[in-house]
Amino acid sequence: MATEAKRLPGSLRNNPALDLWIGIETDGTVTVRSGKIEIGQGLKTAAMQVAAEELDVNLSRVRIKTADTGETADENVTSGSRSMEVSATALRFAAAECRGIMLKMAAEKLGVPVESLSVEDGAIRSSESNQQVTYWDLMGGRKFGRDATAAFPPKPPQAHRVVGTRVPRVDLPAKVFGAPAFIEDLRLPGMLHGRIVRPRHQGAALKSVDTAAAEKIPGVVKVLRDGDFLGVVAETEIAAIRARDALATNARWSAGEPLPDEDHLFEWMMSQDTVEYGCVDGVHTDEPPPDTEPPADAKATLEQIYAKPFILHGTMGPSCAVAEWKGGKLIVHTQSQGVFPLRRALKNVFRMEEDDIRCIHMEGAGVYGHSGADDVALDAALLSRAVDGRPVRIQWMRDDEHCWEPFGTAMVTKVRASLGPDNRVADWRFDVWSNHHGNRPKPKSTESGLLAARMIENGLPPQSLGPAKDAEAGEHRNAWPGYDFPQINVAKHFIKAHPFRCSSLRGLGAFANVFAIEQMMDELAHAAGEDPVTFRLAHMSDPRARFALEAARDAIGWGKADKVPGRGHGIAYARYKNTAAYCAVAVDVEVNEETGAITVLRAACAGDAGEAIAPDGIANQLEGGVIQSVSWTLKERVRFTPGEITSVDWESYPILTFREAPEVETVVLNRPGEKFLGVGEASQGPTAAAIANAVFAAIGVRLRELPFTPERVRKMIQEARRG
Amino acid sequence: MSEQFKLTINGKSHTVSADADTPLLYVLRNDVGLVSPKYGCGQEQCGACNVLIDGEKAFSCSVSVKDAAGKQVTTLEGLGTPEQPHPIQAAFIAEQAAQCGYCTSGLIIATKALLDKNPNPDMDAIRVGLQDNLCRCGAHSRVFRAVRRAARELAG
């Protein structure tokens, strides 16, 4: 049995019960369940499309429920662009099987062979009789009560009527008409409002606090100090905010360890103690690679350093949760991307039974990885416990989110590449320095990934951090180049000291790694005297990769750049994780040499995500990734002094505005019948490199350090002009 | 010190009891039950809380309930309904101009303020009209398309 279960596709493997996925309700609707969540990526709509397709019901009959520890499959975390691959695949097979089971039931009931049956909008008809029966009559509100076998093959792609079509997102109307749509909008009877007070250095401890001023504010119900954890609960949200201000004014924190010099961050990173690892054929190895010399007959050898600072997820809506305790049981309404892992983490902190905790997902603002969503859930649970279990809603304030969300780690890469006599890459050496990426709450009971756990008395220490060893995880992601090079060495240097808590941010290491690889490819093309597209194609044997690159090239009008000084085209490509979506991005930029300001005038993005369930959803992800990456590339860097984080709002941590955003053209390369490939994080890395390459095309200056702020660009131009 | 304030919101009169300096945002969300304006920064930096006050775009996180009293406040809920959408709302749906949607309310309000003043904005005017609103998901390109579509629809 165990070996059979192993063969089940996608998330059915660990969650085979059909009832976890599909419910045939008595009111003529179908309930689809997914353990993954909607984060603006269109998951709900795509999951509904897949189920409607396989069941042959109209989309209007389909309802969806997502991640709830009381109801859905445990699909761990919604991350890594894997929802279509694992959850939609599971749903596809589960729905096909449910349809098959119901056809058998119908055949028996109608006394006709199964082969004579067809389904239209849930009504089963036989070509051999005039009778018909519906799913809803057949099931009569019963459950399937059995595990999936995957013995019912899904439809062939040519039979698809719903999958692959542009269906309006089901979650949008509420957001466009102002209906409650987000966790922020949840109001429970008797609900109180909480706020947390935290310092601006992540290692500071609470020395003392005078709570009198806060407690005097009308409406304040409770000030809670538990170790270094300081929070307040009030009848109204504004009273909680005022009390938070009063507490912050009267709290004294110890100085934490001095932070590195932000202007010499990359030198600091490369000089730290590291754990050394390697990578062979894309797979992690504990042995670092050997030091090698460039080939003796190399025509040219280039060596460059490319770097990316700490950046923020920077959600528009600071983290929010509502928690309540009822009869010793904890209920948390959460925007966490992993309700089951959150439940395990809460169990460890409160030292209680997992079954006594329910984590129910509600949509929040987009977070693009691991934000403060899990942390605020524990904050709310702690404050609720302090007010006899009454429901407490917390939304972090803007500076809480900026200073305390787990950052996306800074990374430094060093690439040494040699061209052989044939102008093709003969040797490739890639070194990457990084702090930790994946730091979501893990199940270990003696430590905790939740922030407040380390702050409270009798809490748990922070979870230990180590290098990512899984394929394409952490700093490893896309460190291995996706080109046909005869010799590749990749070395990973995991930095032991970590000035900040970091965790998964969209693309993980892929952003910095692709930025480096794709800029080096451009530099090599120029050294070889070849067009950057032609040069890349000469190292690409995968036809789908070539097709994506050519599609982006054609969409931007490559080679037809205005021959205007300061204007240029740039292009870059990567296959996300080397196993997921193929993506190429081309940009048209303008550089103002006097001010140093870079404007991305236009971007074109071509993506191949295998079979497209929701083509517009794919386009939206690619497009959003491009624009977010323009922001990271041109503007973003977490600022700090030795004593504190100084990026505390949108003025001290500016992001791309509507004034600066390019228009993006997207080409979705649909491959019916091919495997779903994760696409949500595919366009970020190529965009950054494409911009750098376009700047070089425009003004002949290489920008290898992110972000490309006007001051920095001006300085680089001056240095280049001085020669 | 709680005081009574009379507010006109989406054409309807409301009396609320709040401290005079309470930002309108919290009154709308928690006392009146209109949740479309969102808290994003509390400092007029992101526009997630945008509403119209006497037809002008305003940051409800920074306008006190006292200052809003006696004026006409319009939130997203006051524009249209799924059955009878405002052309701007219809355009945002037609262009699928959002990802997470947290900034959408503020963007639709900002678009309303823009098109009320300039029914036929060029790209520069659209960019300036939306420059006080942030979007983190990168829906900008779609939002541009939605604003252009709304302008066309409104022009008939």
Side-chain angles (χ1 to χ4, degrees):
Chain A
M1 279 308 286
T3 49
E4 221 170 84
K6 260 188 191 152
R7 281 200 294 273
L8 286 172
S11 294
L12 285 176
R13 199 163 298 156
N14 298 323
N15 301 275
L18 288 173
D19 298 314
L20 282 173
W21 301 95
I22 304 285
I24 307 295
E25 312 297 345
T26 50
D27 62 355
T29 64
V30 172
T31 302
V32 172
R33 296 186 185 84
S34 168
K36 299 289 185 184
I37 61 157
E38 177 70 48
I39 35 177
Q41 84 286 41
L43 169 114
K44 283 183 175 173
T45 314
M48 288 163 69
Q49 281 177 265
V50 166
E53 182 70 70
E54 295 303 329
L55 286 166
D56 282 316
V57 295
N58 291 345
L59 203 54
S60 57
R61 289 188 186 272
V62 179
R63 310 283 178 267
I64 185 152
K65 289 190 176 170
T66 54
D68 175 344
T69 59
E71 198 167 332
T72 65
D74 177 357
E75 291 193 85
N76 206 334
V77 181
T78 302
S79 66
S81 299
R82 299 193 67 226
S83 295
M84 291 303 103
E85 184 189 329
V86 298
S87 197
T89 299
L91 263 174
R92 172 173 270 184
F93 278 88
E97 185 150 1
C98 290
R99 179 182 186 274
I101 291 167
M102 290 188 287
L103 285 187
K104 271 192 188 162
M105 291 165 71
E108 272 170 37
K109 188 171 175 125
L110 303 176
V112 294
V114 168
E115 297 72 43
S116 75
L117 297 175
S118 63
V119 186
E120 196 173 330
D121 193 20
I124 307 172
R125 289 190 188 84
S126 169
S127 56
E128 296 186 7
S129 97
N130 291 328
Q131 290 175 283
Q132 72 161 44
V133 62
T134 67
Y135 286 167
W136 300 278
D137 294 338
L138 273 177
M139 294 301 289
R142 279 168 300 155
K143 292 175 180 296
F144 288 96
R146 62 167 98 171
D147 284 355
T149 60
F152 296 83
K155 288 182 186 173
Q158 58 274 20
H160 286 166
R161 289 184 295 180
V162 189
V163 161
T165 63
R166 191 181 193 267
V167 169
R169 287 234 318 263
V170 295
D171 57 311
L172 277 199
K175 298 168 181 176
V176 165
F177 295 103
F182 296 96
I183 178 131
E184 286 83 357
D185 307 333
L186 179 65
R187 299 288 179 271
L188 297 180
M191 190 180 84
L192 301 170
H193 292 270
R195 286 296 183 276
I196 306 300
V197 184
R198 292 200 161 104
R200 288 186 174 179
H201 187 300
Q202 295 180 353
L206 182 57
K207 291 202 299 197
S208 68
V209 57
D210 181 352
T211 59
E215 280 163 343
K216 264 188 231 139
I217 291 172
V220 167
V221 177
K222 174 88 185 172
V223 172
L224 175 68
R225 180 185 176 179
D226 182 351
D228 294 330
F229 181 81
L230 186 58
V232 58
V233 184
E235 294 286 349
T236 65
E237 193 166 10
I238 191 64
I241 293 168
R242 302 272 192 249
R244 174 191 185 261
D245 292 344
L247 286 170
T249 307
N250 294 299
R252 301 284 167 267
W253 302 89
S254 69
E257 285 282 303
L259 298 169
D261 176 359
E262 64 166 9
D263 290 324
H264 296 92
L265 178 64
F266 305 125
E267 295 93 316
W268 179 86
M269 290 172 71
M270 292 174 84
S271 68
Q272 291 300 298
D273 272 357
T274 54
V275 192
E276 300 290 310
Y277 295 93
C279 185
V280 171
D281 291 336
V283 179
H284 170 90
T285 57
D286 284 340
E287 286 298 306
D291 286 327
T292 53
E293 291 298 315
D297 63 345
K299 187 182 157 191
T301 295
L302 308 185
E303 184 175 288
Q304 295 296 352
I305 289 172
Y306 308 88
K308 171 220 158 192
F310 291 99
I311 60 175
L312 296 181
H313 299 72
T315 178
M316 291 306 300
S319 299
C320 183
V322 181
E324 62 180 320
W325 294 81
K326 273 186 183 163
K329 298 192 178 194
L330 171 63
I331 303 164
V332 182
H333 301 270
T334 171
Q335 59 177 131
S336 168
Q337 285 180 262
V339 291
F340 288 90
L342 173 62
R343 179 169 72 164
R344 288 188 279 273
L346 290 168
K347 173 203 81 168
N348 294 335
V349 175
F350 291 111
R351 297 173 176 92
M352 57 196 286
E353 293 300 316
E354 205 167 299
D355 285 349
D356 290 337
I357 305 174
R358 183 172 180 187
C359 295
I360 306 164
H361 178 262
M362 288 186 72
E363 282 184 56
V367 294
Y368 332 103
H370 180 202
S371 69
D374 295 291
D375 301 319
V376 75
L378 174 57
D379 293 347
L382 287 167
L383 289 190
S384 170
R385 193 176 62 170
V387 292
D388 303 324
R390 285 180 68 181
V392 173
R393 170 190 183 274
I394 299 179
Q395 183 168 26
W396 279 6
M397 302 302 284
R398 175 45 59 198
D399 58 335
D400 292 329
E401 191 73 34
H402 265 64
C403 295
W404 286 94
E405 66 145 274
F407 301 160
T409 181
M411 286 170 68
V412 180
T413 54
K414 187 166 82 179
V415 193
R416 191 195 69 203
S418 301
L419 287 175
D422 58 352
N423 266 342
R424 297 292 165 258
V425 174
D427 180 57
W428 180 271
R429 162 87 193 195
F430 191 87
D431 286 80
V432 51
W433 286 260
S434 179
N435 267 161
H436 52 284
H437 288 266
N439 191 13
R440 293 182 192 269
K442 297 184 180 91
K444 204 169 168 186
S445 64
T446 51
E447 52 185 47
S448 181
L450 299 175
L451 193 51
R454 73 194 61 173
M455 296 173 166
I456 55 177
E457 298 282 352
N458 302 315
L460 293 167
Q463 63 193 13
S464 41
L465 301 167
K469 294 190 178 186
D470 294 338
E472 297 295 335
E475 62 278 9
H476 186 144
R477 189 164 291 176
N478 285 91
W480 194 260
Y483 290 104
D484 310 328
F485 298 155
Q487 182 162 278
I488 301 171
N489 281 297
V490 173
K492 298 180 286 178
H493 314 275
F494 182 79
I495 302 166
K496 291 178 187 166
H498 48 94
F500 305 108
R501 185 171 75 129
C502 294
S503 194
S504 310
L505 172 55
R506 199 174 188 182
L508 308 187
F511 177 66
N513 290 333
V514 171
F515 171 66
I517 294 169
E518 284 301 287
Q519 210 178 159
M520 178 52 91
M521 284 302 277
D522 209 72
E523 300 197 39
L524 289 166
H526 283 94
E530 282 187 28
D531 172 75
V533 176
T534 313
F535 183 78
R536 280 182 178 78
L537 289 171
H539 294 87
M540 292 165 111
S541 50
D542 184 338
R544 287 170 73 177
R546 298 172 66 92
F547 200 72
L549 183 66
E550 289 165 343
R553 172 196 69 188
D554 296 344
I556 202 76
W558 187 254
K560 294 179 208 133
D562 291 345
K563 296 286 178 228
V564 178
R567 279 284 286 280
H569 282 176
I571 198 164
Y573 155 85
R575 183 176 188 192
Y576 185 56
K577 298 194 217 178
N578 285 317
T579 54
Y582 301 83
C583 179
V585 176
V587 295
D588 182 357
V589 308
E590 186 174 64
V591 186
N592 181 324
E593 291 203 47
E594 257 170 55
T595 63
I598 298 171
T599 307
V600 179
L601 300 167
R602 200 162 58 91
C605 177
D608 169 355
E611 176 168 14
I613 300 168
D616 191 56
I618 291 173
N620 205 352
Q621 283 297 296
L622 289 169
E623 232 178 274
V626 168
I627 292 177
Q628 192 174 65
S629 182
V630 172
S631 184
W632 291 0
T633 302
L634 298 185
K635 308 191 78 155
E636 297 187 31
R637 155 164 95 128
V638 174
R639 307 296 301 267
F640 44 89
T641 63
E644 62 177 10
I645 296 161
T646 55
S647 287
V648 296
D649 57 21
W650 297 122
E651 211 169 272
S652 48
Y653 186 92
I655 62 172
L656 199 74
T657 66
F658 276 87
R659 204 158 181 171
E660 302 159 322
E663 299 218 44
V664 185
E665 182 190 333
T666 316
V667 186
V668 177
L669 307 165
N670 194 359
R671 305 274 183 190
E674 292 286 350
K675 232 172 67 159
F676 306 140
L677 300 177
V679 71
E681 303 160 287
S683 60
Q684 236 105 356
T687 300
I691 294 171
N693 296 339
V695 168
F696 180 77
I699 62 167
V701 173
R702 281 280 168 204
L703 302 174
R704 301 185 183 94
E705 199 171 296
L706 294 161
F708 305 160
T709 55
E711 310 77 63
R712 187 172 283 168
V713 173
R714 223 163 43 224
K715 202 173 130 227
M716 294 300 291
I717 292 172
Q718 283 162 3
E719 275 174 24
R721 298 293 177 255
R722 273 202 302 270
Chain B
M1 256 305 273
S2 239
E3 295 171 55
Q4 302 266 312
F5 295 98
K6 269 206 159 93
L7 297 167
T8 309
I9 307 165
N10 301 331
K12 273 201 243 160
S13 175
H14 296 263
T15 304
V16 297
S17 171
D19 287 349
D21 62 352
T22 303
L24 179 61
L25 173 68
Y26 300 107
V27 173
L28 291 172
R29 289 182 58 80
N30 298 330
D31 299 307
V32 185
L34 296 170
V35 295
S36 70
K38 299 285 188 265
Y39 170 79
C41 69
Q43 303 174 76
E44 306 190 21
Q45 293 175 350
C46 77
C49 68
N50 278 176
V51 297
L52 299 174
I53 298 182
D54 286 346
E56 297 283 335
K57 184 178 74 181
F59 295 87
S60 68
C61 71
S62 302
V63 176
S64 70
V65 62
K66 180 167 172 254
D67 288 344
K71 295 177 180 157
Q72 298 283 334
V73 177
T74 307
T75 68
L76 185 64
E77 290 90 340
L79 294 192
T81 61
E83 295 72 33
Q84 286 191 306
H86 186 280
I88 301 174
Q89 290 168 312
F92 269 69
I93 293 209
E95 295 293 345
Q96 296 284 289
Q99 276 193 28
C100 80
Y102 197 81
C103 67
T104 302
S105 169
L107 279 167
I108 292 176
I109 293 290
T111 303
K112 175 85 167 59
L114 166 68
L115 297 182
D116 282 349
K117 284 207 173 71
N118 179 358
N120 187 23
D122 61 14
M123 265 317 289
D124 284 345
I126 293 173
R127 287 175 182 281
V128 171
L130 302 181
Q131 70 178 352
D132 298 330
N133 296 73
L134 295 176
C135 162
R136 187 56 165 163
C137 296
H140 304 64
S141 194
R142 285 168 180 251
V143 171
F144 292 144
R145 297 202 282 273
V147 175
R148 292 194 292 253
R149 178 189 280 261
R152 283 197 307 274
E153 295 292 326
L154 283 163

